[in-house]
Amino acid sequence: MGDADDRAHVERVLRADNGDRHARAERLEQGPLLFEIEAEGVDASHGSRRSRPRGKGASMASERPAVVSIQDLAKHVGTEVVLQGWLYNKRSSGKLHFLEVRDGSGITQCVMAKADVGEDVFVAADGLQQEASLRVSGKVVAHPKREGVYELQATGFELVAAPSEAYPITKKEHGPDFLMDHRHLWLRSKRQHAIMRVRHTIVTAIREFFDDRGFTLIDAPIFTPSACEGTSTLFETDYHGQPAYLTQSGQLYMEAAAAAFGKAYCFGPTFRAEKSKTRRHLAEFWMVEPEVAFTDLEGVMDLAEDFICHIVGRVLERRRPELAELERDVAALEKIQKPFPRVTYTDAVNLVAEERAKLEAASEAPRLEWGNDFGAEDETLLAKRFDRPVMVHRWPEEVKAFYMKRDPADPRLALGVDVIAPEGYGEVIGGGQREESLEVLDAAIQKHGLPMDAFEWYRDIRKYGGFPHGGFGLGLERMVSWMCGLGHVRETIPFPRMLNRLSP
RNA sequence: UCCAGCUUAGCUCAGUCGGUAGAGCAGGCGGCUGUUAACCGCCGGGUCGAAGGUUCGAGUCCUUCAGCUGGAGCCA
């Protein structure tokens, strides 16, 4: 091997750091570890244009370069800093390396000139592989070609650890299955990074919204003794000898919480065992479910509208760079303003029929008849009519859960509402007003063939001071998918659980 | 569960009419002082998803199975 010397050098630098963990920690506190390079007999500052001397004895602790985050580079222009991170990509010419380094806060380019760092350091840097962990020191300067972009003029580096084999995710394209098998590594890439940060901001916005409006966080249990709604397929587990199911909704518990706290919400994982294989489904997803005492369907719709506007506003306010990275059409998100159109289910069925008539090619999807739930295509056709979410309310009671309140004006209808996002992102919210009469509720439980004894505690909510109330559930991943403009929800959760995927 | 498509190098993919395997990236070596999936030259790398069948001959045609992807249903 012709590069044996290079490798030996790199490993020496590495060993010099690993020799003593205590010494290492101490040096870490003091500042950068460029001394290893010098200890090898190479002066990393040789030929440097920097005027400030870096003598070991002379420099005070405060003069040593500070470790900074890449996102804060702009605050340190003109000063010597140290970056700690991983090599994202490397481009090189004979006497100049461009090391793209990511540190979790961002990615920046470290320009290393042979004349600045000397032969040995330059050759060692040439041997760096993708995802090598390292510390790079250098002066923060403005990018010569890009406005508002900063880069590092490298003066030295320390290899923390070299990859033991080639990084599997290369610069070229990969298929979804390969990437999902390497999800733990895929999260390091720019695109996934942007999505996770949008998700984080949405989660923060959700908590902010409810916390600022007097809601109390009351988390629902994950193990439940029976199906909450009696519709979905649930994951069954063995709970000390008796069957238990992973929750499909915290809603019934939130009704109890609303009676205790007035306004409550839960926010946690939810599980569905249906064998769904579409771009909108996960076996494990996160749902936020607010429930409000003394409100009605109109109040639920007002809340949902304000809620979505708040989330969209926060994403636009805080995640512009991430949306740009994802090439999201921001103009479509900026149109998401109150008021949202509110159409009854009956009107919506007619609108879908109108849209379908406009289609040139006959669709294979079954035609939507009054009394049926919307299919995915129906939702998209309806959403096409509007540039903001559309709220479809007053559904046929047969397609809604047993706890929905009947419309006093038309007993065929339930006071439920679905919020359908624009651009084909489908249902992001489902909710409505709940039945408060014990008598009507009992009849509904019986009609749906549900075991009465499993709902004794739930019936108590009506027994002891029944009250008008309502709420809704929002699927976090569908919201993230919509905000990011993604084609599939699997990228919206760090480690997706799907029909054919349980790992990593 | 049903319908459709895909499966060839570590990765992404070509592979014509059935005639015995190709490119780019990644890896290795060399070159290049402002690169942006950098670029240029060279090198190594294959049980063509599995089994069976048709044929002188199968990556290519047929059957079955498996895996993956998308869609339907169900839902957030």
Side-chain angles (χ1 to χ4, degrees):
Chain A
M1 273 201 152
D3 65 332
D5 287 349
D6 303 352
R7 284 201 173 280
H9 176 86
V10 168
E11 280 164 21
R12 275 202 307 278
V13 174
L14 177 59
R15 266 201 306 279
D17 179 43
N18 283 342
D20 183 325
R21 284 186 174 278
H22 291 291
R24 182 187 180 198
E26 222 168 84
R27 280 180 292 174
L28 242 179
E29 270 177 29
Q30 290 168 355
L33 303 180
L34 304 167
F35 317 111
E36 276 73 30
I37 290 162
E38 294 173 32
E40 292 298 319
V42 181
D43 183 0
S45 67
H46 177 73
S48 168
R49 289 183 291 272
R50 293 177 315 113
S51 55
R52 189 160 55 89
R54 198 177 39 162
K56 288 176 206 169
S59 76
M60 305 294 288
S62 59
E63 290 178 45
R64 291 212 176 96
V67 174
V68 302
S69 292
I70 288 169
Q71 66 183 354
D72 296 331
L73 276 187
K75 298 175 195 162
H76 299 272
V77 176
T79 62
E80 176 100 3
V81 301
V82 170
L83 302 180
Q84 307 185 121
W86 297 262
L87 188 65
Y88 191 74
N89 192 15
K90 175 167 67 73
R91 292 175 290 275
S92 191
S93 64
K95 297 182 177 95
L96 205 55
H97 293 317
F98 298 93
L99 308 175
E100 261 192 293
V101 175
R102 58 170 194 86
D103 73 347
S105 79
I107 297 182
T108 195
Q109 175 170 274
C110 302
V111 184
M112 182 180 285
K114 193 189 238 177
D116 286 348
V117 300
E119 179 80 19
D120 285 12
V121 173
F122 193 78
V123 168
D126 196 37
L128 290 173
Q129 285 188 312
Q130 195 182 355
E131 291 303 314
S133 49
L134 40 80
R135 296 191 182 89
V136 186
S137 66
K139 192 168 100 176
V140 182
V141 296
H143 193 291
K145 294 179 187 170
R146 294 187 178 181
E147 190 78 20
V149 175
Y150 299 92
E151 62 180 26
L152 209 67
Q153 251 168 21
T155 51
F157 82 97
E158 175 212 352
L159 179 64
V160 176
S164 59
E165 48 190 279
Y167 190 65
I169 300 177
T170 66
K171 286 177 275 187
K172 281 277 181 165
E173 290 172 15
H174 299 279
D177 194 44
F178 177 84
L179 288 169
M180 273 302 168
D181 281 342
H182 297 84
R183 182 62 172 169
H184 50 295
L185 302 176
W186 191 20
L187 289 173
R188 301 180 182 194
S189 72
K190 278 183 194 172
R191 178 183 167 83
Q192 300 309 309
H193 202 265
I195 295 168
M196 287 307 131
R197 290 194 138 188
V198 172
R199 179 186 169 104
H200 169 86
T201 294
I202 291 173
V203 170
T204 304
I206 287 169
R207 295 206 181 281
E208 260 174 14
F209 179 84
F210 292 119
D211 294 350
D212 290 351
R213 280 166 180 74
F215 282 71
T216 302
L217 178 71
I218 302 292
D219 284 315
I222 303 237
F223 285 117
T224 57
S226 61
C228 289
E229 302 177 13
T231 50
S232 306
T233 315
L234 306 188
F235 285 106
E236 188 175 331
T237 65
D238 178 0
Y239 194 82
H240 303 303
Q242 73 174 52
Y245 304 89
L246 299 185
T247 183
Q248 62 156 194
S249 165
Q251 205 243 287
L252 304 189
Y253 295 96
M254 286 307 101
E255 291 188 45
F261 296 88
K263 293 191 272 188
Y265 73 104
C266 64
F267 190 11
T270 305
F271 308 87
R272 301 283 165 89
E274 281 114 3
K275 298 194 186 305
S276 298
K277 276 182 76 172
T278 80
R279 64 180 69 195
R280 301 178 305 281
H281 289 88
L282 293 167
E284 178 183 309
F285 65 98
W286 283 61
M287 186 154 68
V288 55
E289 294 173 279
E291 190 73 23
V292 181
F294 299 104
T295 193
D296 56 12
L297 179 63
E298 302 307 313
V300 168
M301 288 197 278
D302 290 344
L303 185 70
E305 191 176 65
D306 284 339
F307 182 48
I308 286 179
C309 288
H310 176 77
I311 294 173
V312 176
R314 278 287 189 255
V315 169
L316 287 172
E317 184 186 316
R318 297 178 180 170
R319 292 301 172 200
R320 292 271 175 172
E322 283 78 6
L323 296 177
E325 171 66 35
L326 296 164
E327 295 176 328
R328 180 57 165 110
D329 172 18
V330 179
L333 294 182
E334 284 167 340
K335 289 179 188 155
I336 310 305
Q337 304 277 346
K338 284 210 291 188
F340 295 170
R342 300 181 185 195
V343 300
T344 64
Y345 167 86
T346 303
D347 290 343
V349 169
N350 292 329
L351 291 176
V352 169
E354 277 177 30
E355 286 300 316
R356 198 177 286 265
K358 289 185 202 165
L359 290 179
E360 289 184 12
S363 169
E364 287 179 20
R367 258 189 61 221
L368 175 63
E369 308 264 356
W370 198 99
N372 292 332
D373 202 352
F374 282 27
E377 186 177 302
D378 303 320
E379 287 182 353
T380 305
L381 288 173
L382 179 64
K384 266 171 68 178
R385 304 275 301 222
F386 309 97
D387 59 1
R388 56 193 77 193
V390 52
M391 303 206 274
V392 181
H393 59 93
R394 291 180 166 80
W395 291 70
E397 56 97 11
E398 285 89 357
V399 304
K400 288 295 174 188
F402 74 92
Y403 49 72
M404 285 285 183
K405 184 176 172 65
R406 296 290 181 89
D407 186 352
D410 185 345
R412 295 178 307 156
L413 302 177
L415 296 177
V417 57
D418 281 4
V419 180
I420 297 169
E423 302 175 85
Y425 283 95
E427 185 184 345
V428 289
I429 280 181
Q433 189 173 344
R434 322 304 186 188
E435 182 53 63
E436 72 245 37
S437 153
L438 182 60
E439 207 175 305
V440 177
L441 184 72
D442 282 350
I445 291 173
Q446 270 169 1
K447 188 182 169 190
H448 283 78
L450 299 170
M452 193 64 77
D453 57 338
F455 292 98
E456 277 308 321
W457 69 268
Y458 183 65
R459 296 175 69 245
D460 278 356
I461 299 168
R462 278 75 182 170
K463 258 193 230 171
Y464 305 107
F467 58 110
H469 62 290
F472 60 81
L474 173 132
L476 175 63
E477 285 74 16
R478 287 189 181 177
M479 195 70 198
V480 177
S481 187
W482 171 30
M483 291 298 101
C484 292
L486 304 181
H488 202 300
V489 289
R490 66 188 156 203
E491 287 180 73
T492 63
I493 187 165
F495 296 97
R497 294 295 173 253
M498 297 178 290
L499 185 55
N500 292 313
R501 180 160 300 277
L502 187 56
S503 73

